[in-house]
Amino acid sequence: MELAETKNINTQLFFDLYDGVLAHAEFDPIDERIKRSYELIKNLDAPDIKNEDWKYTPIRKYLSLFDFQPHISEIPTCEPKFSNQNLVTIQNGHITSIELTKETAGKIEILPLIEGIGKYPELVEKYFYKTIHHSDDYFAHINQSFCLNGLFIYVHDHCIVDEPVYIQQDCFNENETFHQTHNLVLVGRDASMNLIKKELCTGDGGKVFHNLLTDAVILDNGKFSFSRLQNECKDTYQITHFYANLLPHAKLNVNNITVGGAFARNNYWVELNGVESNAKLRGLSLLNEKQHADSWVKILHNSPYCESDQLFKSIVDDEATSVFSGRIYVAKHAQKTNAYQSNKNIVLTDTANSYSKPQLEIYADDVKCSHGSTSGQLNEDELFYLRARGIKEQEARKLLLYAFASNLVEQLDDEHFKNEVKGLIDSKFNNA
Amino acid sequence: MLSIKNLHASIAGKEILKGLNLEVKAGEIHAIMGPNGSGKSTLASVLAGREEYEVTDGTVTYNGKNLLELAPEERAGEGIFLAFQYPVEIPGVSMMNFLKTAVQEIREYRKQDQLDAKAFLQLVKEKQKLVEMDTKLTNRSVNEGFSGGEKKRNEVFQMALLEPSLSILDETDSGLDIDALRIVANGVNKLRNKNNAFVVITHYQRLLEHIVPDFVHVLHQGKIVRSGDKSLALELEEKGYDWLKEATV
């Protein structure tokens, strides 16, 4: 790491921001919970590589590339509109439009965060800001303390939203910026929704640092599917937090595809708090040049008869780095747990790196758990077999890389999204 | 067609082929037999271009070209086909995508027009029939979950599709029951014509009852120690390899 970790982050900036936000807020400043985050980070600085959770990701180095200027996040004013598709646009960190079809609008509410909190204080009180406080992630608490910008998504009880809801996040700022969004997702009883988020940059502007958080609560027998494509430009750095709280029989399905950006840290904190809840997490990182992507996963089995399944894959080329750190925690009373974890990496060059840390922490005695990790090159026998059939080496490599990624791509259920991801993978491998 | 002169090849510093000579002409079928470790599979791998094998001496020319200078895919383009002893399973690469890529790349190399989707499907259907291959297999990933017999049949199927001028069958009979053996041999016999040639590597005479060779060579300690017609195979079957070893000492 050529840049020394010398420059401390100006946390005062965040506190100035915080005071600014409070001055603007017309409501009781989301009270005790925010204050707890605030207290937690007040005396801390950003983690360094001595912190086990950040061992392979020199976050201070990335932060030191920025010279953040304080600015106060404006509270968005956009009104939800009817449209022929479900689409939310976020530009330069601000929500610029919320469109829902008539069909969807009767089942789901998508509101600017503050409005949602104002409208449903009792739901927020009852369900949110719990899981975040079980973790001590510095950046999650920064987000929680200072961010009032984001979405409040509420799928009403017994409502199945058939059409996916798309979130398109775009950045075209000219200046160096620090963006935060904070989304709350509440999936009601017997309800279901499919959220697809695409992150991109259309402008060729200044460096951007995102610190994004989604806190999802899935009530009894609810189903939440969240697919995300990270395809931002080379000057994008981001930390993303995904917290989920699953109640009895709830189902969570997460697919994360990381293709673009300079640096991405994806944190997943999933609590299986109700019996027979089920979480499936899939991650695919395709990295080249000096890209760095770090997936950090913690799944907590707090109830019996739950199932979780993690599959994270990466392909690292050039001088890129992938990191996976996953932990399955099974509480003492969470009997009959099924928990699986797998991390597979293909390292294409001598200068690319892949770090993997699969972990189990089990206190129950009647469980089925597995974890495994493999890292290696493309299989020479497979390569030779293809070449012996007349397929050029580069083409053969492409076929094998695609094959490696395919089981994560093929199971994306939205055809448009799947084709977009396929196209991106193709072009990424063509340039490789 | 194929001319191998004084071929020496080693793997991981160990010399396996120690001065092998072989001439194959169009229209011929050559059988190569020999005990375990005599270098049969090494010969197949060297001809197909497997990089772990190092050629330390000798020449291999194919239709006038120096074969040893060519990459494996170029050799395939030139018309060499290796039917693998252990066909590789490639999960995630669909059979159809694999076959299409192979056919189009080889056509490109041979300066033939690309096939459109319909013509390609027609070709696949026709060749599938030829080797009596279950059409369901082409809906799967390459060799994934295929039985031993299905894998070998898939090799002959690919051979039919790519229309090589020289096919090397590396112990294609190993692990096959009689019915599968007959189907594989029938496929080869149907593909056989005066313009192409086969090198059949085998332990046993059994396969040669179905694919009748013009020449039989016995490989021992990296060299061909004896050549003859198909009666040599019968002789080997009867007497084993021991007497040959003694005779060569």
Side-chain angles (χ1 to χ4, degrees):
Chain A
M1 305 304 161
E2 58 277 9
L3 267 165
E5 291 199 4
T6 46
K7 193 173 164 188
N8 278 350
I9 307 312
N10 180 8
T11 24
Q12 187 55 45
L13 158 71
F14 295 122
F15 297 106
D16 291 347
L17 246 165
Y18 178 75
D19 294 335
V21 168
L22 290 192
H24 275 68
E26 291 167 4
F27 51 88
D28 184 26
I30 322 179
D31 60 36
E32 284 310 307
R33 291 166 292 228
I34 283 190
K35 282 187 193 143
R36 270 162 67 192
S37 283
Y38 180 80
E39 291 302 319
L40 190 85
I41 52 169
K42 204 165 64 176
N43 302 314
L44 292 176
D45 208 337
D48 59 21
I49 53 172
K50 286 181 207 129
N51 182 322
E52 192 62 25
D53 289 334
W54 292 89
K55 196 172 171 184
Y56 303 106
T57 295
I59 187 61
R60 287 185 176 209
K61 183 187 103 176
Y62 293 120
L63 287 167
S64 72
L65 300 172
F66 285 81
D67 184 19
F68 297 121
Q69 294 303 315
H71 71 281
I72 294 159
S73 215
E74 288 164 37
I75 294 168
T77 51
C78 68
E79 287 289 313
K81 282 194 300 260
F82 288 124
S83 168
N84 56 2
Q85 64 171 339
N86 302 314
L87 176 67
V88 177
T89 54
I90 301 175
Q91 294 180 340
N92 292 335
H94 298 287
I95 296 154
T96 46
S97 73
I98 299 175
E99 297 172 2
L100 292 177
T101 64
K102 281 216 162 78
E103 153 85 11
T104 303
K107 299 173 174 174
I108 188 171
E109 277 179 271
I110 301 184
L111 302 167
L113 179 68
I114 296 306
E115 240 174 82
I117 291 173
K119 188 168 178 186
Y120 295 105
E122 72 293 348
L123 292 179
V124 174
E125 167 77 33
K126 189 167 175 192
Y127 294 117
F128 290 104
Y129 301 104
K130 293 193 166 50
T131 47
I132 295 173
H133 284 294
H134 297 159
S135 87
D136 58 359
D137 188 275
Y138 179 79
F139 296 98
H141 289 285
I142 293 260
N143 183 296
Q144 162 121 320
S145 300
F146 306 115
C147 182
L148 296 175
N149 191 19
L151 295 167
F152 182 89
I153 299 177
Y154 176 26
V155 192
H156 292 284
D157 287 356
H158 315 294
C159 287
I160 311 289
V161 183
D162 299 312
E163 302 155 25
V165 175
Y166 296 94
I167 299 180
Q168 193 153 316
Q169 177 185 300
D170 191 1
C171 248
F172 42 83
N173 255 8
E174 288 186 4
N175 304 321
E176 241 175 47
T177 36
F178 179 79
H179 288 155
Q180 299 204 97
T181 50
H182 186 102
N183 300 325
L184 301 182
V185 178
L186 179 62
V187 178
R189 284 177 187 79
D190 303 311
S192 123
M193 86 167 294
N194 185 5
L195 187 65
I196 296 174
K197 188 175 183 216
K198 291 191 260 189
E199 296 166 10
L200 47 118
C201 304
T202 51
D204 213 6
K207 289 198 293 283
V208 185
F209 201 106
H210 289 286
N211 184 32
L212 312 174
L213 188 147
T214 297
D215 190 1
V217 177
I218 312 172
L219 302 187
D220 304 40
N221 205 30
K223 197 177 161 201
F224 181 42
S225 173
F226 180 44
S227 300
R228 172 166 174 255
L229 171 65
Q230 257 181 307
N231 186 31
E232 292 172 305
C233 51
K234 283 178 191 164
D235 271 338
T236 304
Y237 296 74
Q238 72 163 287
I239 302 177
T240 305
H241 315 268
F242 182 83
Y243 287 86
N245 174 6
L246 276 67
L247 295 175
H249 308 282
K251 249 186 161 169
L252 171 70
N253 197 349
V254 176
N255 293 292
N256 193 92
I257 316 271
T258 300
V259 182
F263 157 70
R265 160 77 170 221
N266 294 321
N267 286 340
Y268 304 87
W269 181 287
V270 175
E271 297 189 9
L272 298 160
N273 289 327
V275 289
E276 288 185 31
S277 54
N278 179 313
K280 197 165 144 187
L281 274 68
R282 301 279 181 259
L284 174 65
S285 300
L286 307 176
L287 311 171
N288 61 3
E289 296 175 1
K290 290 192 171 180
Q291 283 184 289
H292 183 115
D294 179 346
S295 301
W296 186 96
V297 185
K298 186 156 183 176
I299 307 240
L300 297 101
H301 281 262
N302 293 331
S303 272
Y305 300 101
C306 293
E307 186 165 324
S308 69
D309 187 6
Q310 304 166 51
L311 176 60
F312 284 81
K313 290 187 171 186
S314 79
I315 297 173
V316 278
D317 200 357
D318 302 330
E319 295 164 62
T321 300
S322 74
V323 183
F324 171 78
S325 170
R327 178 177 289 232
I328 299 169
Y329 166 90
V330 182
K332 201 172 173 193
H333 57 279
Q335 301 294 5
K336 306 288 180 192
T337 286
N338 286 329
Y340 312 101
Q341 181 190 65
S342 170
N343 174 228
K344 294 181 183 196
N345 308 292
I346 290 187
V347 184
L348 293 173
T349 66
D350 290 345
T351 46
N353 290 297
S354 177
Y355 300 96
S356 181
K357 216 166 66 175
Q359 301 161 86
L360 296 174
E361 189 180 341
I362 302 174
Y363 298 99
D365 54 13
D366 186 11
V367 300
K368 239 191 262 175
C369 292
S370 70
H371 67 163
S373 171
T374 59
S375 294
Q377 286 78 46
L378 285 177
N379 183 313
E380 288 296 328
D381 289 334
E382 295 177 359
L383 203 55
F384 179 69
Y385 189 80
L386 296 175
R387 294 178 70 191
R389 296 299 177 251
I391 300 171
K392 282 189 281 291
E393 185 175 3
Q394 202 199 349
E395 191 65 24
R397 285 181 172 277
K398 217 173 103 177
L399 276 176
L400 293 180
L401 290 175
Y402 192 80
F404 176 79
S406 69
N407 64 345
L408 294 188
V409 178
E410 291 302 329
Q411 46 119 43
L412 296 170
D413 29 302
D414 186 72
E415 284 301 318
H416 279 289
F417 185 65
K418 190 198 286 186
N419 289 333
E420 189 173 345
V421 169
K422 277 183 177 175
L424 277 169
I425 293 177
D426 271 353
S427 59
K428 186 117 183 177
F429 291 158
N430 273 332
N431 297 332
Chain B
M1 186 179 237
L2 177 72
S3 174
I4 304 174
K5 293 205 169 93
N6 189 35
L7 183 64
H8 290 254
S10 54
I11 184 163
K14 192 178 176 226
E15 190 169 54
I16 310 283
L17 298 181
K18 301 168 183 171
L20 186 140
N21 297 297
L22 182 67
E23 295 284 332
V24 179
K25 295 193 180 68
E28 294 177 349
I29 294 185
H30 290 248
I32 296 186
M33 302 182 74
N36 285 331
S38 58
K40 300 191 299 292
S41 286
T42 298
L43 175 62
S45 296
V46 168
L47 292 177
R50 211 182 248 281
E51 277 155 9
E52 302 94 285
Y53 292 89
E54 196 195 347
V55 174
T56 50
D57 201 4
T59 60
V60 180
T61 53
Y62 186 67
N63 291 331
K65 286 191 180 153
N66 179 357
L67 192 69
L68 299 175
E69 278 181 351
L70 301 179
E73 57 270 29
E74 294 170 320
R75 299 182 194 203
E78 290 293 333
I80 292 200
F81 182 93
L82 171 65
F84 283 65
Q85 181 177 3
Y86 304 110
V88 182
E89 296 194 16
I90 314 182
V93 176
S94 75
M95 273 298 291
M96 281 312 249
N97 193 14
F98 161 65
L99 296 173
K100 201 165 79 195
T101 312
V103 166
Q104 303 293 33
E105 292 240 353
I106 280 193
R107 290 185 74 88
E108 190 187 321
Y109 187 91
R110 293 177 189 165
K111 302 198 165 49
Q112 296 165 321
D113 290 338
Q114 299 284 288
L115 292 180
D116 61 31
K118 199 178 154 198
F120 172 72
L121 282 177
Q122 189 63 39
L123 183 73
V124 166
K125 232 185 230 170
E126 179 193 315
K127 304 296 184 187
Q128 244 169 352
K129 214 168 158 189
L130 187 85
V131 295
E132 301 175 42
M133 188 154 128
D134 190 338
T135 50
K136 277 187 217 128
L137 294 180
T138 43
N139 296 330
R140 293 209 219 149
S141 289
V142 177
N143 290 319
E144 194 184 30
F146 286 28
S147 71
E150 284 167 344
K151 280 182 186 168
K152 296 296 173 81
R153 215 178 292 181
N154 192 18
E155 294 294 288
V156 180
F157 169 54
Q158 291 167 46
M159 185 195 294
L161 213 52
L162 301 178
E163 299 177 337
S165 44
L166 175 70
S167 302
I168 303 153
L169 277 65
D170 188 6
E171 304 204 14
T172 298
D173 52 337
S174 68
L176 289 190
D177 61 31
I178 292 294
D179 289 339
L181 190 73
R182 183 189 51 77
I183 290 167
V184 165
N186 279 350
V188 171
N189 287 330
K190 282 183 209 162
L191 295 173
R192 179 179 188 181
N193 64 46
K194 66 180 190 327
N195 298 319
N196 62 19
F198 292 84
V199 172
V200 181
I201 293 171
T202 181
H203 264 296
Y204 305 106
Q205 196 267 340
R206 195 172 70 148
L207 179 65
L208 304 179
E209 285 172 10
H210 300 277
I211 305 174
V212 181
D214 302 299
F215 302 94
V216 175
H217 310 277
V218 180
L219 193 58
H220 179 52
Q221 293 184 346
K223 280 185 192 174
I224 288 176
V225 293
R226 198 165 157 189
S227 298
D229 61 14
K230 62 182 178 185
S231 62
L232 179 57
L234 291 170
E235 199 179 327
L236 288 172
E237 183 79 357
E238 205 175 294
K239 298 183 180 172
Y241 290 112
D242 287 345
W243 67 277
L244 252 173
K245 287 184 208 167
E246 283 156 22
T248 55
V249 170

